[in-house]
Amino acid sequence: MVLKIRLARFGKRNRPFYNIVVAQARTARNSKPLEVLGTYDPIPKPPPSGEGKAVKDIRLDTSRAKYWLGVGAQPSDPAWRLLSMIGLLEPKYHGPSPGVEGERTEGR
């Protein structure tokens, strides 16, 4: 049984809201998950003090997330990004790998 940590979309049209869930890899995006780890609201909200940048709300049960990562659950790319923002995973970098930019095929 392959497990994934991924986002399940809720909310209205143009107002997304996501649950961070643990589900089997072959199930549909919004099917019933094994466990709900937290929520993510991608719509920026003004800070409580009224000064500074708007913030996006991420709520996560870190102890359960660590447990599921420990038993082998694989996070999806958006879930990996959120978990790395919290500090549970190392960030993934999608830039070009070193050495690829300078290599070119000659004679074509």
Side-chain angles (χ1 to χ4, degrees):
M1 177 167 84
V2 179
L3 299 174
K4 296 284 267 184
I5 298 175
R6 61 185 180 197
L7 302 180
R9 184 182 165 129
F10 292 96
K12 298 179 181 178
R13 183 178 55 206
N14 296 326
R15 300 285 300 170
F17 186 82
Y18 297 95
N19 278 348
I20 304 168
V21 300
V22 176
Q24 293 182 8
R26 293 181 180 223
T27 59
R29 179 186 71 182
N30 289 336
S31 63
K32 185 174 180 183
L34 296 174
E35 184 175 352
V36 177
L37 298 177
T39 59
Y40 169 58
D41 187 3
I43 307 295
K45 300 204 176 2
S49 64
E51 298 178 11
K53 289 177 57 174
V55 293
K56 298 178 181 180
D57 188 31
I58 303 172
R59 297 175 192 259
L60 183 70
D61 185 356
T62 55
S63 63
R64 293 304 292 168
K66 286 179 186 177
Y67 167 77
W68 285 110
L69 290 170
V71 296
Q74 296 294 315
S76 65
D77 287 340
W80 189 296
R81 184 176 57 84
L82 293 175
L83 293 173
S84 67
M85 290 167 78
I86 293 172
L88 295 178
L89 294 173
E90 293 294 320
K92 270 189 188 177
Y93 295 105
H94 292 291
S97 47
V100 173
E101 191 174 310
E103 294 178 13
R104 295 189 178 239
T105 56
E106 297 296 328
R108 283 193 183 189

